[in-house]
Amino acid sequence: MSAGEPGAVRDGSSKGGPRAALGGLTTRGRSFLAAGVAAAVCAYVLGQADLLRVGLLLAVLPLVCVIVLYRTRYRVTGTRRLSPSRVPTGSEARVHLRMDNVSRLPTGLLMLQDRVPYVLGPRPRFVLDRVEAGGRREVSYRVRSDLRGRYPLGPLQLRLSDPFGMCELTRSFSAYDTLVVIPRTVPLPVLRLAGEASGYGDGRQRSLALAGEDDIIPRGYRHGDDLRRVHWRSTARYGELMVRREEQPQRARCTVLLDTRQVGYVGAGPDSAFEWAVSGAASALVHMLERGFAVRLLTDDGSAVPGDGSDGFAGSTQESADAAGLMLDTLAVVGHSDGGGLSRAHDVLRGGNEGLLIAFLGDLDEEQTSVAARMRQRSGAAVAFVLDSARWSGGTDASAAARAEERLRQLREAGWIVVPVQPGADLPVLWQLVGQLRTDTQSAGNGGSTAFPGGWS
């Protein structure tokens, strides 16, 4: 999160030589130079030696300032620190800048400037009057973005100026940092969806994580093993003490599927349907990680994050913490896919014990509805938040709404818990209604056509 460059600060524009340094003349310097040249010409025409001296003085002063400033080599170090380096959209991060003068001579007037993208706000500038030998100066500024993404900060620039204000030269470091603006997450209520499948909630795998079971394959005795776990039959067979091996605890699994097809969403910007889906996916994966699940993020193009461990799931608590940061970083820069459909995500889910599946889907046509319905057959419990982007963009087509409602019905019949998302919907409220809908579905037996409160019909 910090970057520093000790040593003399190099002038990026000085590569062009003295000619580039002359380009650093200020308005005052150019005025003095022009006045000096004019006075010298007039003195030559009029034969006035005193006026010629004045003209030479006016013309030489800015040139001397250019030469002195061009040959100046300050030995300073610059450090940048982000606090924090990963922020949600709409939140502020503070950038701390520190300048150290490591030379034996004091510096002159310095203007400190940091390069920031336009979306983070105006370019910050600070004036440092004088930095004594071995001294330091610390300044800070704030940045904020309503758009998620990865934004470079830097390089840090120093604008040098002479005492007379005749010339200014910009010298810059080369190091930069990156501010990651992740989707905003919201806390979700805890739901009890136990028994939907092994690997979710309080199901069988959850119990194994607490107790463990004996594996039929024994292993050699190790110092500290409980003698009550000695497997005598294997001991007699191998001629050495063997113990029953405990099964490694298995964590319940959850896959968060994010539909990024461009054809599935209409509109753009912080309040668009796609941004709501990205924020919802981020909130869901953070919530499930906090509940102790092994979570992975899956997109419609088949890309799985974090991608390590068994079947792409993080295998330990520490890995989950790292995976959470990796998944949020991925969501910070995720964009629309090429529109290839959900088939590649379906292939990733095929044949595996994926536990809970939470999907955030855009508009579905008949083909994509069929693919999504088949995903439910290869998963334990499945919850789908479906966004009708036409409504998010202000559309009121009755026939389109009827077709969307029919596809929701097909997903319900396939076993999905379907949640239609209205424009500006509150995810915690919808999350709480998921539990209510599941209870209603169970009360109705296999009544997959149970209506969801607040639907599109």
Side-chain angles (χ1 to χ4, degrees), residues 136-370:
R136 70 177 59 169
R137 296 290 185 272
E138 295 185 5
V139 294
S140 65
Y141 64 93
R142 295 176 296 179
V143 291
R144 178 181 181 274
S145 175
D146 292 328
L147 300 175
R148 55 187 175 80
R150 296 173 61 89
Y151 300 102
L153 301 180
L156 192 62
Q157 294 179 330
L158 286 179
R159 180 172 294 179
L160 310 180
S161 177
D162 67 280
F164 301 102
M166 299 288 181
C167 182
E168 289 183 351
L169 295 180
T170 300
R171 299 180 175 179
S172 60
F173 298 95
S174 60
Y176 66 92
D177 290 291
T178 301
L179 175 68
V180 181
V181 181
I182 61 176
R184 179 175 294 277
T185 60
V186 294
L188 302 178
V190 177
L191 299 181
R192 183 179 178 84
L193 298 178
E196 289 287 350
S198 62
Y200 178 56
D202 300 322
R204 181 174 178 272
Q205 275 194 344
R206 199 70 169 172
S207 301
L208 291 180
L210 298 177
E213 289 184 351
D214 292 339
D215 196 330
I216 60 173
I217 303 177
R219 60 168 175 81
Y221 175 83
R222 299 171 185 169
H223 179 71
D225 285 339
D226 191 349
L227 293 177
R228 290 175 297 181
R229 303 193 64 82
V230 173
H231 194 271
W232 297 110
R233 181 177 300 177
S234 298
T235 299
R237 178 180 178 181
Y238 292 102
E240 60 177 321
L241 202 58
M242 306 292 290
V243 296
R244 297 187 298 271
R245 182 170 56 186
E246 263 190 11
E247 182 181 354
Q248 296 295 324
Q250 299 182 18
R251 302 180 66 198
R253 292 179 172 183
C254 173
T255 298
V256 178
L257 172 63
L258 175 62
D259 178 13
T260 63
R261 295 173 300 117
Q262 189 168 9
V263 297
Y265 301 92
V266 177
D271 298 327
S272 64
F274 181 66
E275 293 301 323
W276 192 98
V278 173
S279 178
S283 300
L285 67 88
V286 170
H287 175 73
M288 301 311 295
L289 284 171
E290 290 176 348
R291 291 193 59 192
F293 281 69
V295 182
R296 72 172 174 183
L297 173 67
L298 180 65
T299 58
D300 57 290
D301 61 4
S303 301
V305 181
D308 298 327
S310 176
D311 297 329
F313 294 89
S316 65
T317 303
Q318 181 60 38
E319 289 179 359
S320 295
D322 297 337
L326 182 58
M327 287 186 284
L328 290 176
D329 288 348
T330 301
L331 290 176
V333 297
V334 69
H336 290 295
S337 64
D338 57 5
L342 301 172
S343 57
R344 283 175 286 187
H346 173 265
D347 293 339
V348 175
L349 297 171
R350 179 185 302 171
N353 182 15
E354 308 302 335
L356 176 66
L357 175 60
I358 303 175
F360 292 84
L361 305 174
D363 292 333
L364 299 173
D365 55 21
E366 184 176 354
E367 179 183 358
Q368 300 308 316
T369 302
S370 177

Side-chain angles (χ1 to χ4, degrees), residues 266 271-274 276 387-395 421-425:
V266 177
D271 298 327
S272 64
F274 181 66
W276 192 98
L387 292 84
D388 184 1
S389 59
R391 288 180 176 267
W392 282 73
S393 59
V421 181
Q422 299 280 7

